[in-house]
Structures are given as C-alpha cells and as structure tokens.
Amino acid sequence: DVKVTQSSRYLVKRTGEKVFLECVQDMDHENMFWYRQDPGLGLRLIYFSYDVKMKEKGDIPEGYSVSREKKERFSLILESASTNQTSMYLCASSVTGGRSPLHFGNGTRLTVT
Amino acid sequence: GENVEQHPSTLSVQEGDSAVIKCTYSDSASNYFPWYKQELGKRPQLIIDIRSNVGEKKDQRIAVTLNKTAKHFSLHITETQPEDSAVYFCAASFYGGSQGNLIFGKGTKLSVKP
C-alpha cells in the first residue's frame, strides 16, 4: 500500500516566518503534488513535480515555493507566512500526472498568527 | 482557466435511499475522472475512477457514469448507509502545462440519516 507521510499534523507559525512542510512517499512515484484545502473551495493545486528538481506551478502558486532534491521527498515552502495561508495542506503522489490516482498524506493543518 | 463544477454542495438522504452527485468539466481533452471520499479528519481516498473510453463503471453500491459529449460525469451511491456520510470530491485530468494533473470540484457533503 502506498504511504505518503507528512512530517507534521499541526503547525502554528507567526506572520513573516519561513515555513517548511515536508512530504515523503515510499512507492517510487514520479509525480508529487501539494494541494491546499479550504472549506467551500475544495482542493486547489499549489505546485507539482514530475521529476527530481522539476516543478510546475498549479492554480495558486503565489507566496509558495517547492523543492524536490530526491525522488521520494517534496517540500512546500512558505517564504514569508501570512494569515491568509492558514489552511490544511495535503501532499499527494501518483504514478503519472493526471492519468492515475492520487495517494494523499494525512495533511498538515497550518495556523499562521 | 479550466475548472470542474460539482453539485450539490450538500446532500442529505435517508438510509437506504440513493444519492447522486454531478460534475461538469471544461477541458475537452480530459480523459481521467476519479472520485474521492474524505471522512471527517481523514485524508481523501479514491473510491472509483473512470476513463474516457468507458461510459459507466460499477463497484458494488457505487457507480460512475460519463457523458463525454456533454462533458459531465456523475457518482451514484445506492442503498446508502450512515458510513457513506463524508465529503465527496470529483476530479478531471488537465493537460494545460507540460505535465498533467487533476483539477478538483469543490466537494459535496453527504449526510445519510439513519
């Protein structure tokens, strides 16, 4: 069974801090994704990566960056956290982008105060 | 941009009744349509998916239908049970960039009353 692990379940950060959200998958998947989930807005794609050191912007990349130095690890970076980035962040991986199921992590609930 | 519309946003049914959730997509190139179930406090999990070369797919009490011409697809749950209560998300593949990804609907909160 595919396992996608997000390093933190809950995080509380202050405005202006640099925040790192880490995600690791154990199935050698090429593709990894970061989504943001807000009530009434569904799942919105922030960034995704289709190979090591390769990345592509999703629908809402502003204020975020990503890093993929190793195939199994995909990090989401909030350069300067703001209160409007308070949200649930979901990492996912898949064999192929857009043509195969996504396997999600448990999510990180980030609160920026 | 491309999007996926999902209706209704909330749905309440009596145990044993059927539930139907509908989605429409805008990208005619979309060819993969998964459905996810998210129970409270848990991760979204795939429950069924369909590809564009198939019009219908069933798995026990769950079925998905696809109308490519009209660009809409639906989730059908028969003989609903309280454990079906959850938020359901539809998604459609999108190939606007160099690589494909999935665009999600905004979700339907299904409540099954015993």
Side-chain angles (χ1 to χ4, degrees), chain A residues 24-88:
Chain A
V24 177
Q25 51 96 2
D26 66 356
M27 283 303 292
D28 202 36
H29 284 170
E30 300 289 338
N31 296 266
M32 296 188 74
F33 306 79
W34 276 105
Y35 285 88
R36 172 175 170 162
Q37 182 173 20
D38 300 289
L41 297 179
L43 300 167
R44 294 180 293 167
L45 182 63
I46 304 172
Y47 266 99
F48 65 104
S49 169
Y50 48 93
D51 201 351
V52 174
K53 297 191 178 182
M54 304 303 289
K55 62 185 179 183
E56 194 157 325
K57 292 179 180 180
D59 297 321
I60 52 166
E62 296 78 18
Y64 304 95
S65 62
V66 290
S67 172
R68 192 161 181 208
E69 296 296 319
K70 294 184 178 182
K71 191 174 186 179
E72 67 271 18
R73 186 180 297 271
F74 191 36
S75 302
L76 180 68
I77 303 158
L78 286 65
E79 298 291 342
S80 178
S82 63
T83 55
N84 63 12
Q85 293 179 309
T86 292
S87 186
M88 171 66 81

Short mmCIF file of all heavy atoms in Angstrom, two decimals, chain A residues 24-88:
data_model
loop_
_atom_site.label_atom_id
_atom_site.label_comp_id
_atom_site.label_asym_id
_atom_site.label_seq_id
_atom_site.Cartn_x
_atom_site.Cartn_y
_atom_site.Cartn_z
N VAL A 24 6.97 12.81 2.26
CA VAL A 24 7.76 11.70 1.78
C VAL A 24 6.83 10.59 1.31
O VAL A 24 5.86 10.26 2.00
CB VAL A 24 8.70 11.16 2.88
CG1 VAL A 24 9.47 9.93 2.38
CG2 VAL A 24 9.66 12.23 3.35
N GLN A 25 7.14 10.00 0.15
CA GLN A 25 6.36 8.85 -0.34
C GLN A 25 7.31 7.66 -0.54
O GLN A 25 8.48 7.84 -0.86
CB GLN A 25 5.60 9.19 -1.62
CG GLN A 25 6.43 9.81 -2.74
CD GLN A 25 6.93 8.86 -3.78
OE1 GLN A 25 6.65 7.65 -3.76
NE2 GLN A 25 7.68 9.40 -4.75
N ASP A 26 6.74 6.46 -0.39
CA ASP A 26 7.58 5.27 -0.39
C ASP A 26 7.34 4.36 -1.58
O ASP A 26 7.74 3.19 -1.57
CB ASP A 26 7.39 4.50 0.91
CG ASP A 26 5.98 3.90 1.06
OD1 ASP A 26 5.13 4.16 0.19
OD2 ASP A 26 5.75 3.22 2.07
N MET A 27 6.66 4.87 -2.63
CA MET A 27 6.32 3.99 -3.76
C MET A 27 7.05 4.34 -5.04
O MET A 27 6.64 3.93 -6.11
CB MET A 27 4.81 4.03 -3.99
CG MET A 27 4.04 3.19 -2.99
SD MET A 27 4.57 1.45 -2.97
CE MET A 27 3.98 0.91 -4.57
N ASP A 28 8.10 5.14 -4.95
CA ASP A 28 8.90 5.45 -6.13
C ASP A 28 8.07 6.16 -7.21
O ASP A 28 8.33 6.01 -8.42
CB ASP A 28 9.53 4.16 -6.71
CG ASP A 28 10.75 4.46 -7.56
OD1 ASP A 28 11.51 5.40 -7.21
OD2 ASP A 28 10.96 3.77 -8.58
N HIS A 29 7.07 6.92 -6.79
CA HIS A 29 6.24 7.64 -7.76
C HIS A 29 7.00 8.81 -8.37
O HIS A 29 7.74 9.52 -7.69
CB HIS A 29 4.98 8.18 -7.07
CG HIS A 29 3.96 7.11 -6.82
ND1 HIS A 29 2.84 7.32 -6.03
CD2 HIS A 29 3.86 5.84 -7.27
CE1 HIS A 29 2.12 6.22 -6.01
NE2 HIS A 29 2.71 5.31 -6.74
N GLU A 30 6.77 9.03 -9.67
CA GLU A 30 7.42 10.14 -10.36
C GLU A 30 6.81 11.48 -9.95
O GLU A 30 7.50 12.48 -9.86
CB GLU A 30 7.27 9.98 -11.87
CG GLU A 30 7.87 8.70 -12.44
CD GLU A 30 9.38 8.72 -12.42
OE1 GLU A 30 9.96 9.83 -12.37
OE2 GLU A 30 9.99 7.64 -12.42
N ASN A 31 5.50 11.49 -9.76
CA ASN A 31 4.78 12.74 -9.57
C ASN A 31 4.40 12.99 -8.11
O ASN A 31 3.92 12.08 -7.43
CB ASN A 31 3.49 12.73 -10.41
CG ASN A 31 3.78 12.67 -11.88
OD1 ASN A 31 3.85 13.69 -12.55
ND2 ASN A 31 3.97 11.46 -12.39
N MET A 32 4.60 14.22 -7.68
CA MET A 32 4.18 14.62 -6.33
C MET A 32 3.51 15.98 -6.41
O MET A 32 3.84 16.81 -7.27
CB MET A 32 5.37 14.63 -5.37
CG MET A 32 5.98 13.24 -5.16
SD MET A 32 7.22 13.17 -3.86
CE MET A 32 6.19 13.27 -2.38
N PHE A 33 2.56 16.19 -5.51
CA PHE A 33 1.69 17.35 -5.58
C PHE A 33 1.50 17.98 -4.19
O PHE A 33 1.50 17.28 -3.18
CB PHE A 33 0.30 16.96 -6.09
CG PHE A 33 0.31 16.21 -7.40
CD1 PHE A 33 0.61 14.86 -7.46
CD2 PHE A 33 0.00 16.87 -8.58
CE1 PHE A 33 0.62 14.18 -8.67
CE2 PHE A 33 0.00 16.20 -9.79
CZ PHE A 33 0.31 14.86 -9.84
N TRP A 34 1.29 19.28 -4.17
CA TRP A 34 0.84 19.97 -2.97
C TRP A 34 -0.48 20.66 -3.28
O TRP A 34 -0.58 21.46 -4.22
CB TRP A 34 1.85 21.01 -2.50
CG TRP A 34 2.95 20.44 -1.65
CD1 TRP A 34 4.24 20.21 -2.01
CD2 TRP A 34 2.83 20.03 -0.28
NE1 TRP A 34 4.94 19.67 -0.95
CE2 TRP A 34 4.10 19.56 0.12
CE3 TRP A 34 1.79 20.01 0.65
CZ2 TRP A 34 4.36 19.07 1.41
CZ3 TRP A 34 2.04 19.53 1.92
CH2 TRP A 34 3.31 19.07 2.29
N TYR A 35 -1.50 20.32 -2.46
CA TYR A 35 -2.81 20.95 -2.55
C TYR A 35 -3.09 21.70 -1.26
O TYR A 35 -2.62 21.34 -0.18
CB TYR A 35 -3.91 19.89 -2.73
CG TYR A 35 -3.99 19.30 -4.11
CD1 TYR A 35 -3.24 18.17 -4.45
CD2 TYR A 35 -4.82 19.84 -5.08
CE1 TYR A 35 -3.32 17.61 -5.70
CE2 TYR A 35 -4.91 19.27 -6.36
CZ TYR A 35 -4.16 18.16 -6.65
OH TYR A 35 -4.23 17.61 -7.90
N ARG A 36 -3.95 22.69 -1.40
CA ARG A 36 -4.44 23.41 -0.24
C ARG A 36 -5.95 23.16 -0.19
O ARG A 36 -6.64 23.20 -1.22
CB ARG A 36 -4.14 24.89 -0.43
CG ARG A 36 -4.77 25.80 0.60
CD ARG A 36 -4.35 27.23 0.44
NE ARG A 36 -5.17 28.05 1.30
CZ ARG A 36 -4.87 29.28 1.68
NH1 ARG A 36 -3.74 29.85 1.24
NH2 ARG A 36 -5.67 29.95 2.47
N GLN A 37 -6.46 22.85 1.03
CA GLN A 37 -7.88 22.57 1.19
C GLN A 37 -8.51 23.58 2.13
O GLN A 37 -8.10 23.68 3.29
CB GLN A 37 -8.12 21.15 1.72
CG GLN A 37 -9.58 20.80 1.84
CD GLN A 37 -9.83 19.36 2.21
OE1 GLN A 37 -8.96 18.67 2.74
NE2 GLN A 37 -11.03 18.87 1.94
N ASP A 38 -9.49 24.31 1.63
CA ASP A 38 -10.24 25.28 2.44
C ASP A 38 -11.73 25.00 2.31
O ASP A 38 -12.20 24.62 1.23
CB ASP A 38 -9.94 26.71 1.98
CG ASP A 38 -8.46 27.07 2.10
OD1 ASP A 38 -8.03 27.23 3.25
OD2 ASP A 38 -7.77 27.17 1.08
N PRO A 39 -12.49 25.20 3.38
CA PRO A 39 -13.94 24.92 3.33
C PRO A 39 -14.62 25.66 2.19
O PRO A 39 -14.44 26.87 2.01
CB PRO A 39 -14.42 25.43 4.69
CG PRO A 39 -13.23 25.36 5.58
CD PRO A 39 -12.06 25.67 4.70
N GLY A 40 -15.40 24.92 1.41
CA GLY A 40 -16.14 25.53 0.31
C GLY A 40 -15.34 25.78 -0.95
O GLY A 40 -15.91 26.15 -1.98
N LEU A 41 -14.02 25.57 -0.88
CA LEU A 41 -13.16 25.82 -2.05
C LEU A 41 -12.56 24.54 -2.60
O LEU A 41 -11.87 24.58 -3.64
CB LEU A 41 -12.05 26.81 -1.70
CG LEU A 41 -12.50 28.21 -1.29
CD1 LEU A 41 -11.30 29.08 -0.95
CD2 LEU A 41 -13.33 28.86 -2.41
N GLY A 42 -12.77 23.44 -1.95
CA GLY A 42 -12.25 22.17 -2.43
C GLY A 42 -10.74 22.07 -2.30
O GLY A 42 -10.13 22.68 -1.42
N LEU A 43 -10.14 21.33 -3.22
CA LEU A 43 -8.70 21.11 -3.24
C LEU A 43 -8.11 21.93 -4.38
O LEU A 43 -8.47 21.74 -5.53
CB LEU A 43 -8.39 19.62 -3.46
CG LEU A 43 -8.95 18.67 -2.40
CD1 LEU A 43 -8.86 17.23 -2.88
CD2 LEU A 43 -8.19 18.84 -1.11
N ARG A 44 -7.22 22.82 -4.04
CA ARG A 44 -6.60 23.67 -5.06
C ARG A 44 -5.11 23.36 -5.15
O ARG A 44 -4.42 23.32 -4.13
CB ARG A 44 -6.82 25.14 -4.73
CG ARG A 44 -8.29 25.58 -4.79
CD ARG A 44 -8.45 27.04 -4.46
NE ARG A 44 -8.14 27.32 -3.07
CZ ARG A 44 -7.96 28.55 -2.58
NH1 ARG A 44 -8.01 29.59 -3.38
NH2 ARG A 44 -7.71 28.71 -1.29
N LEU A 45 -4.64 23.19 -6.38
CA LEU A 45 -3.26 22.77 -6.61
C LEU A 45 -2.31 23.96 -6.48
O LEU A 45 -2.49 24.99 -7.14
CB LEU A 45 -3.14 22.15 -8.00
CG LEU A 45 -1.77 21.63 -8.40
CD1 LEU A 45 -1.34 20.48 -7.49
CD2 LEU A 45 -1.79 21.16 -9.86
N ILE A 46 -1.29 23.80 -5.65
CA ILE A 46 -0.31 24.87 -5.44
C ILE A 46 0.87 24.67 -6.41
O ILE A 46 1.20 25.55 -7.20
CB ILE A 46 0.20 24.87 -3.99
CG1 ILE A 46 -0.97 24.99 -3.00
CG2 ILE A 46 1.20 26.01 -3.77
CD1 ILE A 46 -0.56 24.80 -1.55
N TYR A 47 1.52 23.53 -6.31
CA TYR A 47 2.65 23.18 -7.16
C TYR A 47 2.64 21.66 -7.34
O TYR A 47 2.13 20.93 -6.49
CB TYR A 47 3.98 23.55 -6.50
CG TYR A 47 4.56 24.89 -6.86
CD1 TYR A 47 4.39 25.98 -6.02
CD2 TYR A 47 5.31 25.06 -8.02
CE1 TYR A 47 4.94 27.22 -6.33
CE2 TYR A 47 5.86 26.29 -8.34
CZ TYR A 47 5.66 27.37 -7.49
OH TYR A 47 6.21 28.58 -7.80
N PHE A 48 3.25 21.19 -8.41
CA PHE A 48 3.53 19.78 -8.52
C PHE A 48 4.89 19.55 -9.16
O PHE A 48 5.48 20.47 -9.73
CB PHE A 48 2.41 19.04 -9.26
CG PHE A 48 2.23 19.41 -10.70
CD1 PHE A 48 2.67 18.56 -11.70
CD2 PHE A 48 1.56 20.56 -11.06
CE1 PHE A 48 2.47 18.87 -13.04
CE2 PHE A 48 1.37 20.89 -12.40
CZ PHE A 48 1.81 20.04 -13.38
N SER A 49 5.37 18.34 -9.02
CA SER A 49 6.69 17.99 -9.54
C SER A 49 6.58 16.65 -10.26
O SER A 49 5.99 15.71 -9.74
CB SER A 49 7.68 17.88 -8.38
OG SER A 49 8.89 17.29 -8.80
N TYR A 50 7.16 16.56 -11.44
CA TYR A 50 7.08 15.34 -12.23
C TYR A 50 8.42 14.61 -12.32
O TYR A 50 8.54 13.58 -12.98
CB TYR A 50 6.54 15.63 -13.63
CG TYR A 50 7.21 16.78 -14.32
CD1 TYR A 50 8.30 16.58 -15.17
CD2 TYR A 50 6.75 18.08 -14.13
CE1 TYR A 50 8.91 17.64 -15.80
CE2 TYR A 50 7.37 19.15 -14.76
CZ TYR A 50 8.44 18.93 -15.60
OH TYR A 50 9.05 19.99 -16.22
N ASP A 51 9.43 15.16 -11.65
CA ASP A 51 10.73 14.51 -11.62
C ASP A 51 11.60 15.27 -10.62
O ASP A 51 11.28 16.40 -10.24
CB ASP A 51 11.38 14.52 -13.00
CG ASP A 51 12.46 13.45 -13.15
OD1 ASP A 51 12.82 12.81 -12.14
OD2 ASP A 51 12.94 13.25 -14.28
N VAL A 52 12.71 14.67 -10.24
CA VAL A 52 13.62 15.34 -9.32
C VAL A 52 14.06 16.68 -9.92
O VAL A 52 14.40 16.75 -11.10
CB VAL A 52 14.84 14.45 -9.04
CG1 VAL A 52 15.86 15.20 -8.19
CG2 VAL A 52 14.42 13.17 -8.34
N LYS A 53 13.97 17.70 -9.10
CA LYS A 53 14.36 19.07 -9.45
C LYS A 53 13.49 19.69 -10.52
O LYS A 53 13.78 20.78 -11.01
CB LYS A 53 15.84 19.13 -9.85
CG LYS A 53 16.78 18.74 -8.72
CD LYS A 53 18.22 19.06 -9.01
CE LYS A 53 19.08 18.69 -7.80
NZ LYS A 53 20.50 19.01 -8.01
N MET A 54 12.39 19.02 -10.89
CA MET A 54 11.45 19.59 -11.85
C MET A 54 10.18 20.00 -11.11
O MET A 54 9.71 19.27 -10.22
CB MET A 54 11.12 18.58 -12.95
CG MET A 54 12.32 18.04 -13.68
SD MET A 54 13.33 19.31 -14.43
CE MET A 54 12.27 19.83 -15.77
N LYS A 55 9.62 21.12 -11.48
CA LYS A 55 8.42 21.59 -10.82
C LYS A 55 7.56 22.37 -11.80
O LYS A 55 8.06 22.87 -12.81
CB LYS A 55 8.77 22.47 -9.62
CG LYS A 55 9.54 23.73 -10.00
CD LYS A 55 9.96 24.51 -8.79
CE LYS A 55 10.76 25.76 -9.20
NZ LYS A 55 11.25 26.52 -8.03
N GLU A 56 6.29 22.47 -11.48
CA GLU A 56 5.38 23.24 -12.31
C GLU A 56 4.34 23.90 -11.42
O GLU A 56 3.87 23.29 -10.44
CB GLU A 56 4.70 22.32 -13.34
CG GLU A 56 4.00 23.08 -14.45
CD GLU A 56 3.83 22.24 -15.69
OE1 GLU A 56 4.69 21.40 -16.01
OE2 GLU A 56 2.80 22.42 -16.36
N LYS A 57 3.99 25.13 -11.74
CA LYS A 57 3.01 25.86 -10.95
C LYS A 57 1.62 25.28 -11.15
O LYS A 57 1.25 24.86 -12.25
CB LYS A 57 3.01 27.34 -11.35
CG LYS A 57 4.27 28.08 -10.97
CD LYS A 57 4.19 29.53 -11.42
CE LYS A 57 5.47 30.29 -11.04
NZ LYS A 57 5.41 31.71 -11.47
N GLY A 58 0.86 25.30 -10.06
CA GLY A 58 -0.54 24.93 -10.13
C GLY A 58 -1.41 26.17 -10.25
O GLY A 58 -1.01 27.16 -10.85
N ASP A 59 -2.57 26.13 -9.63
CA ASP A 59 -3.52 27.23 -9.76
C ASP A 59 -3.23 28.40 -8.82
O ASP A 59 -3.58 29.54 -9.11
CB ASP A 59 -4.94 26.71 -9.49
CG ASP A 59 -5.36 25.68 -10.50
OD1 ASP A 59 -5.03 25.85 -11.69
OD2 ASP A 59 -6.00 24.69 -10.12
N ILE A 60 -2.61 28.11 -7.66
CA ILE A 60 -2.41 29.17 -6.65
C ILE A 60 -0.97 29.14 -6.12
O ILE A 60 -0.74 28.95 -4.94
CB ILE A 60 -3.42 29.03 -5.49
CG1 ILE A 60 -3.42 27.60 -4.92
CG2 ILE A 60 -4.83 29.42 -5.95
CD1 ILE A 60 -4.13 27.49 -3.59
N PRO A 61 0.04 29.38 -6.95
CA PRO A 61 1.43 29.28 -6.50
C PRO A 61 1.96 30.50 -5.74
O PRO A 61 3.02 30.42 -5.11
CB PRO A 61 2.19 29.13 -7.82
CG PRO A 61 1.36 29.90 -8.80
CD PRO A 61 -0.09 29.69 -8.36
N GLU A 62 1.23 31.60 -5.78
CA GLU A 62 1.75 32.84 -5.19
C GLU A 62 1.98 32.69 -3.70
O GLU A 62 1.10 32.23 -2.96
CB GLU A 62 0.77 34.00 -5.45
CG GLU A 62 0.58 34.35 -6.91
CD GLU A 62 -0.35 33.40 -7.64
OE1 GLU A 62 -1.13 32.66 -6.96
OE2 GLU A 62 -0.31 33.36 -8.88
N GLY A 63 3.17 33.08 -3.27
CA GLY A 63 3.53 33.01 -1.86
C GLY A 63 4.14 31.68 -1.44
O GLY A 63 4.51 31.50 -0.28
N TYR A 64 4.26 30.76 -2.39
CA TYR A 64 4.81 29.43 -2.12
C TYR A 64 5.97 29.12 -3.07
O TYR A 64 6.03 29.66 -4.17
CB TYR A 64 3.74 28.35 -2.31
CG TYR A 64 2.49 28.53 -1.49
CD1 TYR A 64 1.37 29.17 -2.03
CD2 TYR A 64 2.41 28.03 -0.19
CE1 TYR A 64 0.21 29.33 -1.30
CE2 TYR A 64 1.25 28.18 0.54
CZ TYR A 64 0.16 28.83 -0.01
OH TYR A 64 -1.00 28.98 0.73
N SER A 65 6.84 28.24 -2.62
CA SER A 65 7.83 27.64 -3.50
C SER A 65 7.96 26.17 -3.09
O SER A 65 7.40 25.76 -2.07
CB SER A 65 9.18 28.35 -3.43
OG SER A 65 9.71 28.26 -2.11
N VAL A 66 8.66 25.39 -3.90
CA VAL A 66 8.80 23.96 -3.61
C VAL A 66 10.24 23.53 -3.88
O VAL A 66 10.99 24.21 -4.57
CB VAL A 66 7.83 23.10 -4.45
CG1 VAL A 66 6.39 23.30 -4.01
CG2 VAL A 66 8.02 23.38 -5.94
N SER A 67 10.55 22.38 -3.34
CA SER A 67 11.87 21.79 -3.55
C SER A 67 11.71 20.28 -3.67
O SER A 67 11.02 19.66 -2.86
CB SER A 67 12.79 22.12 -2.37
OG SER A 67 14.01 21.42 -2.46
N ARG A 68 12.38 19.71 -4.68
CA ARG A 68 12.41 18.26 -4.81
C ARG A 68 13.83 17.85 -5.18
O ARG A 68 14.18 17.73 -6.35
CB ARG A 68 11.41 17.77 -5.86
CG ARG A 68 11.23 16.25 -5.78
CD ARG A 68 9.99 15.82 -6.42
NE ARG A 68 9.79 14.38 -6.33
CZ ARG A 68 9.10 13.69 -7.22
NH1 ARG A 68 8.57 14.29 -8.26
NH2 ARG A 68 8.95 12.39 -7.06
N GLU A 69 14.61 17.60 -4.16
CA GLU A 69 16.00 17.21 -4.33
C GLU A 69 16.15 15.70 -4.48
O GLU A 69 17.10 15.20 -5.08
CB GLU A 69 16.84 17.71 -3.15
CG GLU A 69 16.90 19.23 -3.06
CD GLU A 69 17.59 19.85 -4.26
OE1 GLU A 69 18.61 19.30 -4.72
OE2 GLU A 69 17.10 20.88 -4.76
N LYS A 70 15.20 14.95 -3.90
CA LYS A 70 15.19 13.49 -4.00
C LYS A 70 13.81 13.05 -4.46
O LYS A 70 12.81 13.70 -4.18
CB LYS A 70 15.54 12.84 -2.67
CG LYS A 70 16.96 13.10 -2.20
CD LYS A 70 17.26 12.35 -0.93
CE LYS A 70 18.71 12.57 -0.50
NZ LYS A 70 19.04 11.80 0.74
N LYS A 71 13.76 11.93 -5.14
CA LYS A 71 12.51 11.48 -5.73
C LYS A 71 11.41 11.28 -4.69
O LYS A 71 10.24 11.56 -4.94
CB LYS A 71 12.76 10.16 -6.47
CG LYS A 71 11.60 9.71 -7.35
CD LYS A 71 11.99 8.48 -8.14
CE LYS A 71 10.92 8.10 -9.12
NZ LYS A 71 11.31 6.90 -9.91
N GLU A 72 11.77 10.80 -3.52
CA GLU A 72 10.75 10.47 -2.53
C GLU A 72 10.29 11.65 -1.68
O GLU A 72 9.33 11.52 -0.94
CB GLU A 72 11.29 9.37 -1.60
CG GLU A 72 12.44 9.80 -0.69
CD GLU A 72 13.80 9.59 -1.33
OE1 GLU A 72 13.86 9.44 -2.57
OE2 GLU A 72 14.80 9.57 -0.57
N ARG A 73 10.94 12.79 -1.81
CA ARG A 73 10.66 13.90 -0.91
C ARG A 73 10.29 15.16 -1.68
O ARG A 73 10.97 15.54 -2.63
CB ARG A 73 11.88 14.17 -0.03
CG ARG A 73 11.67 15.22 1.05
CD ARG A 73 12.95 15.40 1.85
NE ARG A 73 13.32 14.17 2.54
CZ ARG A 73 12.91 13.83 3.75
NH1 ARG A 73 12.11 14.65 4.42
NH2 ARG A 73 13.30 12.70 4.30
N PHE A 74 9.20 15.80 -1.23
CA PHE A 74 8.71 17.03 -1.89
C PHE A 74 8.35 18.00 -0.78
O PHE A 74 7.49 17.71 0.06
CB PHE A 74 7.49 16.68 -2.76
CG PHE A 74 7.04 17.77 -3.68
CD1 PHE A 74 7.95 18.63 -4.30
CD2 PHE A 74 5.70 17.92 -3.99
CE1 PHE A 74 7.53 19.61 -5.19
CE2 PHE A 74 5.26 18.91 -4.87
CZ PHE A 74 6.18 19.75 -5.47
N SER A 75 8.99 19.15 -0.80
CA SER A 75 8.81 20.13 0.26
C SER A 75 8.07 21.36 -0.25
O SER A 75 8.34 21.84 -1.36
CB SER A 75 10.17 20.57 0.83
OG SER A 75 10.88 19.44 1.30
N LEU A 76 7.18 21.85 0.57
CA LEU A 76 6.47 23.11 0.28
C LEU A 76 7.03 24.17 1.20
O LEU A 76 7.15 23.95 2.42
CB LEU A 76 4.97 22.94 0.51
CG LEU A 76 4.11 24.18 0.25
CD1 LEU A 76 4.09 24.52 -1.25
CD2 LEU A 76 2.68 23.96 0.76
N ILE A 77 7.36 25.33 0.63
CA ILE A 77 7.99 26.40 1.41
C ILE A 77 7.13 27.65 1.33
O ILE A 77 6.75 28.08 0.24
CB ILE A 77 9.40 26.70 0.86
CG1 ILE A 77 10.26 25.42 0.87
CG2 ILE A 77 10.08 27.80 1.69
CD1 ILE A 77 11.41 25.46 -0.08
N LEU A 78 6.82 28.19 2.50
CA LEU A 78 6.16 29.48 2.58
C LEU A 78 7.25 30.48 2.93
O LEU A 78 7.79 30.47 4.03
CB LEU A 78 5.07 29.49 3.65
CG LEU A 78 3.77 28.74 3.35
CD1 LEU A 78 3.98 27.24 3.22
CD2 LEU A 78 2.72 29.05 4.40
N GLU A 79 7.63 31.30 1.98
CA GLU A 79 8.78 32.19 2.14
C GLU A 79 8.58 33.17 3.29
O GLU A 79 9.50 33.44 4.05
CB GLU A 79 9.04 32.94 0.85
CG GLU A 79 9.40 32.03 -0.33
CD GLU A 79 10.78 31.39 -0.17
OE1 GLU A 79 11.59 31.88 0.65
OE2 GLU A 79 11.05 30.39 -0.88
N SER A 80 7.38 33.71 3.42
CA SER A 80 7.06 34.65 4.50
C SER A 80 5.58 34.45 4.82
O SER A 80 4.72 35.00 4.14
CB SER A 80 7.33 36.08 4.05
OG SER A 80 6.98 37.00 5.07
N ALA A 81 5.33 33.63 5.82
CA ALA A 81 3.96 33.20 6.10
C ALA A 81 3.04 34.39 6.39
O ALA A 81 3.43 35.36 7.06
CB ALA A 81 3.95 32.25 7.29
N SER A 82 1.82 34.29 5.87
CA SER A 82 0.81 35.31 6.12
C SER A 82 -0.45 34.62 6.65
O SER A 82 -0.65 33.42 6.46
CB SER A 82 0.50 36.10 4.85
OG SER A 82 -0.05 35.25 3.87
N THR A 83 -1.31 35.40 7.30
CA THR A 83 -2.51 34.83 7.91
C THR A 83 -3.42 34.18 6.88
O THR A 83 -4.13 33.22 7.19
CB THR A 83 -3.28 35.89 8.71
OG1 THR A 83 -3.57 37.00 7.85
CG2 THR A 83 -2.47 36.39 9.91
N ASN A 84 -3.41 34.67 5.64
CA ASN A 84 -4.28 34.06 4.62
C ASN A 84 -3.73 32.73 4.09
O ASN A 84 -4.34 32.11 3.21
CB ASN A 84 -4.57 35.03 3.47
CG ASN A 84 -3.32 35.44 2.71
OD1 ASN A 84 -2.25 34.84 2.89
ND2 ASN A 84 -3.44 36.45 1.87
N GLN A 85 -2.61 32.29 4.63
CA GLN A 85 -2.08 30.97 4.31
C GLN A 85 -2.44 29.94 5.38
O GLN A 85 -2.02 28.78 5.30
CB GLN A 85 -0.58 31.03 4.10
CG GLN A 85 -0.20 31.81 2.85
CD GLN A 85 1.29 31.92 2.64
OE1 GLN A 85 2.04 32.29 3.55
NE2 GLN A 85 1.75 31.60 1.43
N THR A 86 -3.22 30.37 6.36
CA THR A 86 -3.78 29.42 7.32
C THR A 86 -4.72 28.48 6.58
O THR A 86 -5.66 28.92 5.92
CB THR A 86 -4.55 30.17 8.43
OG1 THR A 86 -3.62 30.90 9.23
CG2 THR A 86 -5.32 29.19 9.31
N SER A 87 -4.43 27.17 6.65
CA SER A 87 -5.18 26.22 5.84
C SER A 87 -4.75 24.80 6.15
O SER A 87 -3.82 24.56 6.93
CB SER A 87 -4.94 26.51 4.34
OG SER A 87 -5.76 25.71 3.52
N MET A 88 -5.43 23.84 5.51
CA MET A 88 -4.99 22.45 5.52
C MET A 88 -4.21 22.21 4.23
O MET A 88 -4.69 22.52 3.13
CB MET A 88 -6.21 21.52 5.57
CG MET A 88 -5.87 20.05 5.35
SD MET A 88 -4.86 19.35 6.67
CE MET A 88 -6.16 19.01 7.89
#
